[in-house]
Amino acid sequence: MSHPFLVKDIAFQAGLSTATVDRVLNGRAGVRRQTEMRVKAAIGELEKQQAGVAASGRTLAIDIVMETPERFSNAVRAAFEAEVATFLPTVFRCRFHFAEIMKPVEMVQLIDRIRLRGTHGIVLKAPDIPEIAAAVERATNAGITVVTLVTDLPNSSRAVYAGADNRAAGETAAYLVGNCFDGAAARVLVTLSSGRFRGEEEREIGFRRVLRERYPQIGIAEISEGHGADAATGILAARAIAADATINAVYSIGGGNRAVLAAFEEAGRTIRIFVAHDLDADNRALLATGKIDFVLHHDLRTDARSAFRAIMSGLVKERVAPAVLSAVEIITPYNMPAGS
């Protein structure tokens, strides 16, 4: 595996130990295929970063840490990489640290490692729990600007939140569902990836508030802790619809939509309306084929731009102004923006 990089840099980019990276690079036995692919991906990231550095201007290395399904992390990666070009001659080197499920202790350790290694800024999608807030505090005290992405940590020392108004998004979903049933009784399956994320909680609060005030005939059944993964979410959805024959709509806050659809199909149940979040590759395909009805979307490039600006302001000790919240758009098969 030819490359010009230090083993420690590859290890940090890949989230592996230097010993593990050394084994991969030297073709030693006992290395899993998945580990080898992580090292190759890390080298590819470093090559892209090096190419960007050659462009010109000041170079800022930032770390983007997210616990999220791969389909969403892919969309975030694409948004940040696309937005980098708009800040030239300043060059942002984005080091991505993504995992579909990350234990709180693992995320805390990662944030602390980044702090000790050094960075110009951290962009963070993380659970709203005291341990994470404490790690953010340590980073802030070290002079590192921390930006929360998509889901906020309002009780932490983060500099700014970059994302949509999640409560308004939930209210919009309730409006769509309520108008679909036009006064008739219904029951909505609300899916969360995890109750630990503030953004998902705010979407649910907004959804429940509007149903309670405007559409009291519509009830809710909730599932959570599937972490947006198809297998776990599908099992939870199947259990919920088996236990409640009145469920006939879906508001997907946390993803795993293919699995939710499969659970309804397996049970021979129909869905009157399916509202989802985020234009990732899965949802684009499901929307285009009529499997889901609406996607509530916000522009991740706007969020990336807000994050970059906040980090630049923090470096020159300017007061970081609150980011402008991303607009929530209602996407149908007929107004889908261009994308991969």
Side-chain angles (χ1 to χ4, degrees):
M1 216 178 284
S2 178
H3 65 90
F5 309 108
L6 296 174
V7 170
K8 68 177 183 179
D9 288 336
I10 299 172
F12 187 76
Q13 184 74 39
L16 300 168
S17 69
T18 54
T20 298
V21 171
D22 185 71
R23 285 201 302 274
V24 173
L25 295 177
N26 289 286
R28 297 194 180 100
V31 176
R32 292 184 302 170
R33 175 66 175 167
Q34 183 181 13
T35 302
E36 183 180 343
M37 294 303 294
R38 283 177 67 178
V39 171
K40 287 182 177 178
I43 291 173
E45 288 290 343
L46 290 170
E47 287 172 343
K48 285 193 287 185
Q49 292 167 13
Q50 190 177 64
V53 169
S56 68
R58 187 179 184 188
T59 301
L60 303 178
I62 68 170
D63 292 88
I64 301 161
V65 179
M66 297 177 62
E67 178 188 345
T68 195
E70 184 178 2
R71 56 183 167 267
F72 186 65
S73 64
N74 287 342
V76 169
R77 182 192 296 267
F80 273 76
E81 290 181 342
E83 201 58 29
V84 161
T86 69
F87 279 81
L88 293 173
T90 300
V91 176
F92 282 93
R93 292 178 56 200
C94 298
R95 298 184 293 224
F96 298 101
H97 312 272
F98 296 153
E100 295 207 325
I101 300 176
M102 196 182 299
K103 295 177 182 176
V105 66
E106 294 172 337
M107 181 166 283
V108 167
Q109 289 171 350
L110 176 56
I111 295 168
D112 284 340
R113 272 204 317 274
I114 292 168
R115 170 175 56 83
L116 294 170
R117 185 183 189 275
T119 185
H120 290 108
I122 297 174
V123 180
L124 185 63
K125 178 184 180 292
D128 185 16
I129 56 176
E131 303 95 301
I132 301 296
V136 170
E137 182 80 23
R138 291 191 290 273
T140 301
N141 290 340
I144 298 168
T145 299
V146 179
V147 179
T148 50
L149 182 72
V150 180
T151 182
D152 199 10
L153 304 174
N155 299 314
S156 73
S157 60
R158 59 94 173 117
V160 72
Y161 163 67
D165 183 334
N166 285 305
R167 196 163 299 205
E171 292 167 347
T172 302
Y175 177 79
L176 293 171
V177 171
N179 280 350
C180 171
F181 286 102
D182 193 24
R187 194 158 180 83
V188 185
L189 180 66
V190 176
T191 75
L192 292 87
S193 70
S194 174
R196 301 175 302 149
F197 290 101
R198 174 64 66 106
E200 294 193 8
E201 179 185 51
E202 289 182 341
R203 290 174 183 177
E204 184 192 20
I205 289 170
F207 187 75
R208 285 181 180 272
R209 186 191 71 78
V210 171
L211 289 189
R212 184 173 59 251
E213 292 180 2
R214 297 191 56 172
Y215 312 101
Q217 76 283 2
I218 299 177
I220 290 175
E222 179 189 310
I223 61 173
S224 184
E225 307 312 314
H227 301 285
D230 283 346
T233 303
I235 291 170
L236 292 170
R239 288 175 182 167
I241 61 179
D244 190 339
T246 65
I247 294 174
N248 58 352
V250 177
Y251 174 35
S252 173
I253 296 175
N257 298 330
R258 289 187 183 278
V260 173
L261 288 163
F264 274 87
E265 185 175 354
E266 180 70 21
R269 300 273 289 276
T270 58
I271 302 172
R272 281 279 302 277
I273 182 171
F274 195 126
V275 181
H277 277 273
D278 305 316
L279 271 181
D280 55 39
D282 274 10
N283 283 345
R284 282 181 176 276
L286 293 173
L287 189 61
T289 55
K291 298 292 185 182
I292 60 180
D293 299 288
F294 301 100
V295 171
L296 300 179
H297 169 66
H298 71 279
D299 183 15
L300 289 170
R301 288 190 61 172
T302 298
D303 299 341
R305 196 175 311 126
S306 294
F308 289 154
R309 287 174 176 164
I311 290 167
M312 292 174 73
S313 295
L315 288 171
V316 296
K317 307 304 180 186
E318 292 180 355
R319 181 179 176 275
V320 179
V324 176
L325 294 177
S326 306
V328 176
E329 300 177 72
I330 301 171
I331 304 299
T332 74
Y334 301 101
N335 67 335
M336 237 190 297
S340 56

